[in-house]
Amino acid sequence: MKRAANHDVLNLTNIRKIFFAGTVDKVVALNGVDLSVADQEFVTVIGSNGAGKSTLLNVVAGVFPPERGGKVEIQGDEVTRLEEYKHARYVSRVWQEPEVGTSRNLSIEENLSLALLRGRPRTLKKAGNKKRRQIFREALAQIELGLEDRLTAQVGTLSGGQRQALSLVMATISKPSILLLDEHIATLDPRTAQTVMDLTEMIVERERMSTLMVTHNMEMALRYGKRLIMMHKGKIILDIGHDQKKDLKITDLIAAFERAAGEEFTDDNVLLSC
Amino acid sequence: MDLLISILSVAGYEGLIFGLVAIGVYITFRVLGFPDLGVDATFPLGGAVAAVFIVKGTNPLLATSLAFAAGLLAGMITGLLNTKLRISALLSGILMMVGLYSVNLRIMGGANIPLLREITAFDLFSKLTGLHGMALSIALAGLVALFIFFILNWFLRTEIGLALRASGDNEKMLRGLGVDTDKNILIGCSLSNGLVALAGALVAQNQGFCDVGMGIGIIVMALAAIIIGEGLFGHPKGILSILLACFVGTFAYRLFITLALRLGLPPGDLKLITSILVVIALGIPHLRKRMRQEWIPPASRM
């Protein structure tokens, strides 16, 4: 496979996604998105409901391909029409619901074993071994929830916050090219959300992971990451790099939104979660 | 005393043989979350393939292996109907069940193949060990069950097996982790139907004939056995306890059936009794909740 000359981890070119095409319910979820994410860049993606944030993550994760004419490249490899499970070689993801990122009926160790082999061929070798258990213990010790001593516990017995923290470890243990966080703390209570977000920041910084984090919360979008992207009606309407982002305030963001989108900012959902 | 031993040994033999069916059904229903009703036809398929080859003079061990392979193939087709053509799991199984009935008749060239004059795997094993009658049946069934038990206990702990076990629970996560979930379904359905066909092949050889109708209702029987086993083992999650629960559940179920027969129940009523048993086992916890006025989620349609 040919490597691109630049150092971008992710290159999206002319990404469009239309749902229910040809019916009265037609929705243009993504309407020509171009985006490049540099290696080790932590990008936050903000936007109101229906802006296309989740659709964008789904395209990167390969849940569905974009419309013809669009192109998705990760690490210089074109993955546009690759099946979802093949994207896993490059992309890992933490979903909004802790239940989606973990398997309830398996133990913590078994969940991590599944995650450790992300994107690699699975064989008839024993899934659990001493060396792997050691890797798991070390990874779990760093999140300081005491899970390293409970490797054999059923994941179904963990709390939502613990499961989401485990999802995060599962998403990062095999060092993906790009980490997708899909409002991954939105369903947690405020304190647990903060804990999981702190863990996220710690892991992303330590592993220098290229990250796309979708959020509803403007304050979070400002506080975390080196770059902020705002989406509206399937387009990127704002792209603020590190230099400007440092001094950015929520009022600036709202003003910028109104300027860029050409309409008054009325999304209670976004405002309330500030 | 003799009566007790005879009842226990019948249930013991059947627990071992039909325990394989229960494990097969467990793999689809519980592990994959894929309610495959096709086993009603893969059971006689196994019997038919083994019987036809044995009548032709094939080594019974080879014939039994071929029956297993036929089951693998049938399961693979069920899985393909679901994964490649997106036909629902339930319907894929039913289509296989109905279609295989004709295939089984074709294979057998009639509705029944007698094996009484042929050399079966049991005859070979008898020559080898000197065992006869019930002891022979139990010994061979036990050997096969033990073999499958160890193979599955190993397989389900491998990297592939582990991915299979998360299948019924969370396919979205699996795809996100790079597991081809369609392949998972194919592996699981094949394995399940292979085991059921293997059981069918052994049952046909043991009873001395293969009949095209010998699989009718076997799915409900296996479910009853699984439910009993899960009840006895307290909804097991570990591999060892799940495998044991399948065998013990089947043994308990066959014991119940054998007793019912001894008490003079006409064999024709067995299927009704089995169905009622499953209805009771599934329905009682629900009715209890209703009586305690607990919240009950809407009925599932899967």
Side-chain angles (χ1 to χ4, degrees):
Chain A
M1 272 175 264
K2 169 173 115 337
R3 294 273 159 193
N6 59 33
H7 293 288
D8 288 341
V9 167
L10 176 69
N11 272 306
L12 300 176
T13 322
N14 189 27
I15 301 297
R16 298 174 69 247
K17 187 70 201 175
I18 299 165
F19 293 112
F20 316 113
T23 73
V24 285
D25 298 322
K26 178 177 160 181
V27 177
V28 183
L30 292 175
N31 193 7
V33 170
D34 295 291
L35 174 69
S36 292
V37 175
D39 193 23
Q40 301 183 20
E41 198 170 36
F42 185 170
V43 184
T44 54
V45 183
I46 194 162
S48 46
N49 289 323
K53 310 182 297 286
S54 292
T55 310
L56 187 72
L57 284 203
N58 281 332
V59 166
V60 176
V63 176
F64 39 66
E67 304 300 326
R68 301 263 165 204
K71 200 162 143 191
V72 182
E73 289 168 294
I74 304 176
Q75 296 277 15
D77 297 338
E78 173 158 2
V79 298
T80 317
R81 312 206 86 79
L82 231 49
E83 283 154 281
E84 183 184 2
Y85 76 92
K86 290 184 179 158
H87 278 243
R89 226 185 97 196
Y90 307 94
V91 179
S92 74
R93 186 172 189 180
V94 183
W95 285 267
Q96 190 168 350
E97 308 82 7
E99 301 80 41
V100 181
T102 49
S103 174
R104 187 185 58 208
N105 292 332
L106 300 182
S107 66
I108 293 180
E109 179 188 344
E110 288 166 334
N111 270 276
L112 285 164
S113 295
L114 281 171
L116 189 69
L117 295 168
R118 165 197 309 286
R120 277 194 270 162
R122 282 154 215 269
T123 67
L124 286 174
K125 275 189 240 147
K126 213 167 173 232
N129 62 41
K130 225 175 174 176
K131 200 174 130 215
R132 285 180 186 171
R133 266 190 288 279
Q134 193 51 38
I135 297 172
F136 301 156
R137 271 201 204 95
E138 280 165 21
L140 290 172
Q142 276 158 354
I143 62 171
E144 294 176 359
L145 291 174
L147 295 181
E148 64 274 21
D149 301 322
R150 298 176 58 190
L151 281 184
T152 53
Q154 295 280 317
V155 166
T157 65
L158 303 183
S159 70
Q162 288 172 324
R163 277 181 82 164
Q164 198 65 329
L166 178 63
S167 298
L168 191 65
V169 175
M170 286 171 67
T172 50
I173 198 161
S174 58
K175 314 272 188 295
S177 304
I178 186 157
L179 174 67
L180 306 179
L181 304 170
D182 190 359
E183 301 195 44
H184 71 303
I185 59 169
T187 62
L188 306 175
D189 67 77
R191 240 185 86 191
T192 315
Q194 192 54 55
T195 313
V196 173
M197 196 56 227
D198 290 343
L199 290 175
T200 308
E201 199 184 18
M202 182 190 85
I203 294 176
V204 167
E205 269 181 19
R206 193 189 58 216
E207 306 291 341
R208 297 193 186 144
M209 227 163 251
S210 316
T211 304
L212 263 184
M213 179 171 84
V214 160
T215 174
H216 254 115
N217 185 318
M218 286 208 220
E219 202 196 323
M220 263 183 58
L222 287 174
R223 180 135 54 101
Y224 298 98
K226 297 184 188 121
R227 181 175 164 199
L228 183 146
I229 281 169
M230 188 184 261
M231 292 189 69
H232 184 62
K233 290 187 175 164
K235 285 186 172 202
I236 292 176
I237 55 166
L238 206 63
D239 188 343
I240 300 169
H242 184 58
D243 294 340
Q244 295 164 286
K245 186 172 179 291
K246 284 186 304 207
D247 311 315
L248 212 63
K249 291 186 194 64
I250 288 179
T251 46
D252 301 331
L253 220 47
I254 293 174
F257 174 85
E258 286 176 353
R259 243 189 348 266
E263 59 186 273
E264 203 163 316
F265 191 86
T266 51
D267 192 333
D268 289 342
N269 227 330
V270 176
L271 283 177
L272 285 173
S273 54
C274 287
Chain B
M1 192 60 202
D2 280 354
L3 183 67
L4 186 68
I5 289 176
S6 126
I7 289 176
L8 280 177
S9 51
V10 168
Y13 160 72
E14 293 184 331
L16 291 166
I17 282 287
F18 290 101
L20 298 177
V21 179
I23 290 176
V25 170
Y26 191 96
I27 290 174
T28 45
F29 270 69
R30 290 279 196 265
V31 177
L32 299 181
F34 187 115
D36 177 9
L37 304 188
V39 292
D40 262 30
T42 31
F43 187 72
L45 172 70
V49 170
V52 164
F53 277 104
I54 286 173
V55 168
K56 279 190 177 152
T58 312
N59 179 308
L61 290 183
L62 180 62
T64 308
S65 310
L66 289 170
F68 176 71
L72 288 181
L73 188 69
M76 166 126 11
I77 296 173
T78 308
L80 285 172
L81 290 180
N82 175 251
T83 56
K84 297 301 167 207
L85 300 179
R86 296 291 190 269
I87 295 171
S88 81
L90 203 58
L91 192 55
S92 299
I94 293 174
L95 288 170
M96 282 305 284
M97 180 173 79
V98 173
L100 273 182
Y101 184 83
S102 303
V103 174
N104 289 343
L105 278 175
R106 282 269 181 182
I107 292 174
M108 292 166 66
N112 194 295
I113 297 181
L115 289 170
L116 286 173
R117 289 154 191 273
E118 313 293 337
I119 296 173
T120 67
F122 288 88
D123 297 325
L124 284 189
F125 196 63
S126 172
K127 237 186 254 168
L128 204 69
T129 56
L131 291 171
H132 290 282
M134 206 27 120
L136 172 69
S137 302
I138 291 179
L140 184 55
L143 196 68
V144 175
L146 206 63
F147 178 69
I148 297 296
F149 184 93
F150 278 113
I151 291 277
L152 286 179
N153 188 35
W154 160 78
F155 174 70
L156 292 172
R157 288 172 207 275
T158 64
E159 293 168 0
I160 293 175
L162 182 60
L164 199 69
R165 280 161 57 210
S167 202
D169 181 16
N170 198 339
E171 286 204 317
K172 202 170 168 182
M173 172 196 80
L174 281 178
R175 279 191 292 273
L177 293 176
V179 176
D180 184 349
T181 43
D182 284 358
K183 207 161 86 190
N184 252 353
I185 295 290
L186 294 185
I187 296 174
C189 281
S190 297
L191 187 59
S192 162
N193 283 280
L195 290 174
V196 174
L198 174 65
L202 290 171
V203 166
Q205 293 176 63
N206 189 58
Q207 68 189 9
F209 65 91
C210 175
D211 187 272
V212 74
M214 72 189 221
I216 294 174
I218 202 141
I219 182 81
V220 181
M221 184 222 84
L223 281 178
I226 288 171
I227 291 164
I228 295 170
E230 284 181 332
L232 292 174
F233 280 71
H235 290 267
K237 299 267 191 238
I239 297 171
L240 271 181
S241 44
I242 284 172
L243 291 174
L244 280 176
C246 285
F247 283 114
V248 174
T250 313
F251 172 73
Y253 165 77
R254 299 311 298 201
L255 193 63
F256 176 79
I257 294 295
T258 314
L259 281 174
L261 286 174
R262 294 278 171 157
L263 290 175
L265 196 87
D269 290 355
L270 278 186
K271 303 228 189 284
L272 176 64
I273 303 230
T274 307
S275 287
I276 291 176
L277 204 68
V278 173
V279 169
I280 291 174
L282 293 177
I284 290 260
H286 172 75
L287 289 180
R288 265 209 219 126
K289 273 191 198 168
R290 183 154 280 196
M291 270 190 307
R292 277 187 259 125
Q293 304 202 325
E294 274 178 43
W295 177 79
I296 297 165
S300 146
R301 300 277 179 270
M302 194 199 79

